[in-house]
Amino acid sequence: METDSPFLLAAVSLLSALQMGILARRVGLSRIAHKVVPPAVTGPPEFERTFRAHQNCVECYPLFLVTLWASGMFFSEAIAAAGGLLYMIAREIYFNGYIKSTKKRLPGFYLTLAIFPTLSLLALIGILRGILHKYFHIHL
Amino acid sequence: METDSPFLLAAVSLLSALQMGILARRVGLSRIAHKVVPPAVTGPPEFERTFRAHQNCVECYPLFLVTLWASGMFFSEAIAAAGGLLYMIAREIYFNGYIKSTKKRLPGFYLTLAIFPTLSLLALIGILRGILHKYFHIHL
Amino acid sequence: METDSPFLLAAVSLLSALQMGILARRVGLSRIAHKVVPPAVTGPPEFERTFRAHQNCVECYPLFLVTLWASGMFFSEAIAAAGGLLYMIAREIYFNGYIKSTKKRLPGFYLTLAIFPTLSLLALIGILRGILHKYFHIHL
């Protein structure tokens, strides 16, 4: 383990949960602006893009938490936390872009796509190193 | 860290996962009752409200887990676990209300909205205290 | 606690996150094949089944992570990790089946349904044992 008191990972997780709450709130405000009453999820294109932007963030969020914590606990907490902040920026760019047009979601989307394999690779290195050490007594 | 064997947090997490499973099952039963064959997600208003009530719980669930564990590990496990049980009650009220009418989802919705910032604030206090102690050697 | 360096649980979590990323990618490829431009989520039946198969995996994923870690940390890491790999196979069967037809989603669905209560039961045993020991000084 990199750390036994992962305050930075916890802080980034809490911040990202706050961001998710704010994005959900923005869907709610879009409902009001475009008069889309729940449980409807269809309406003017801008509302549908806002709704789908949030859904995509919902889909990504557990994957983000797994890669954040796996890379932070088993490789480097500071690098993982920095990657986590970058992920939050990527999602903000994605969400704001997607509201404007389907095409404008792409920069934030590609940035997200770059962060996931990076954090995953760091996590993989840390986990493999740990498994070699714990089960095969090989210390790299 | 508040605890190194967070049995209460694990118990509440497991219970809440069970609740999520039961809510998913209730969507399945609503499909049967209203003859909405997968992959369709549109149908009679009551089915659509049931479906959306579950979706909202799905969206909230990772945020709940983050705030539950962050407040429980870094502030107080007992308070976080109690907040977690309250969250489950809030979701039950929300789900049952939403099935009846869109408006009746609101009491459970507002109760959920009250629990998230409370757990988040406790988590924030614990995390900031931990960061001050670990990185700045300030013991509050 | 069963373990203080849960490399196997981390490895399975990371693998399952990768699987979720691949399933999301397959929805994207299905969008292209069936010319369903975001934010639309309706289109030819095969696309809709693919989309819903992924959504179901998204709904299940946090429940999977909770039961994987609860059973792995409090009962047996090796058994939980094996259950986690089985879960991934179940989801693959489910997804591939659902793309073919609504009915063919069922084998993978039932296998998933079998894994959840199994891991949950193991977790429950471990957690109850822990609570009895920690709070009631009863050592089973």
Side-chain angles (χ1 to χ4, degrees), chain B residues 2-17 61 64-85 119, chain C residues 66 70 74 127 131 134-135:
Chain B
E2 266 294 297
T3 172
D4 65 342
S5 33
F7 297 119
L8 301 183
L9 299 180
V12 171
S13 301
L14 197 64
L15 273 175
S16 66
Y61 192 54
F64 165 64
L65 290 174
V66 166
T67 48
L68 172 74
W69 281 83
S71 58
M73 293 305 286
F74 302 112
F75 188 83
S76 158
E77 193 188 3
I79 293 174
L85 293 177
L119 287 183
Chain C
V66 166
F74 301 111
I127 290 168
I131 286 176
K134 183 174 174 185
Y135 297 101

Side-chain angles (χ1 to χ4, degrees), chain B residues 87-107:
Chain B
Y87 173 85
M88 288 175 60
I89 293 169
R91 286 285 102 185
E92 203 68 28
I93 295 170
Y94 171 85
F95 196 91
N96 292 333
Y98 207 163
I99 289 177
K100 292 198 193 87
S101 81
T102 299
K103 205 172 178 184
K104 284 188 180 151
R105 84 189 191 288
L106 291 176

Side-chain angles (χ1 to χ4, degrees), chain C residues 1 8 18 22 27 34-35 38 44 56 63 69 74 79 87 90 108-109 111 113 116 122 128 130-131 139:
Chain C
M1 298 281 225
L8 301 183
L18 180 66
I22 291 169
V27 177
H34 296 286
K35 302 190 198 330
N56 188 279
L63 279 61
W69 281 82
F74 301 111
I79 293 173
Y87 174 85
F109 181 69
L111 184 52
L113 279 194
F116 273 132
L122 300 183
L128 286 181
I131 286 176
H139 198 93

Side-chain angles (χ1 to χ4, degrees), chain A residues 3-5 10 38-39 41 55, chain B residues 1 52 59 74 98 102 134-135:
Chain A
T3 173
D4 65 343
S5 32
V41 295
Q55 286 301 310
Chain B
M1 298 282 224
R52 186 106 317 262
E59 292 167 15
F74 302 112
Y98 207 163
T102 299
K134 184 174 174 183
Y135 297 102

Side-chain angles (χ1 to χ4, degrees), chain C residues 38-106:
Chain C
V41 294
T42 50
E46 189 181 303
F47 168 75
E48 293 197 2
R49 289 197 306 273
T50 307
F51 180 80
R52 185 108 314 263
H54 177 244
Q55 286 300 310
N56 188 279
C57 293
V58 168
E59 292 166 16
C60 287
Y61 192 54
L63 279 61
F64 166 64
L65 290 175
V66 166
T67 48
L68 172 73
W69 281 82
S71 58
M73 294 305 285
F74 301 111
F75 188 84
S76 158
E77 192 187 4
I79 293 173
L85 293 177
L86 196 60
Y87 174 85
M88 288 175 60
I89 294 168
R91 286 285 101 184
E92 204 67 26
I93 295 170
Y94 172 84
F95 196 91
N96 291 334
Y98 208 163
I99 290 178
K100 290 196 195 88
S101 81
T102 299
K103 204 170 179 185
K104 285 187 179 152
R105 84 190 190 287
L106 291 175

Side-chain angles (χ1 to χ4, degrees), chain A residues 79-130:
Chain A
I79 293 173
L85 293 177
L86 197 59
Y87 174 84
M88 287 175 60
I89 294 168
R91 286 285 102 183
E92 203 68 27
I93 295 170
Y94 171 84
F95 197 91
N96 292 333
Y98 207 162
I99 289 177
K100 290 195 193 89
S101 81
T102 299
K103 203 172 179 184
K104 284 186 179 151
R105 84 189 191 289
L106 291 175
F109 181 70
Y110 291 134
L111 184 53
T112 308
L113 279 194
I115 295 165
F116 272 132
T118 307
L119 288 183
S120 297
L121 185 66
L122 300 183
L124 186 67
I125 292 169
I127 291 167
L128 286 181
R129 194 175 51 189

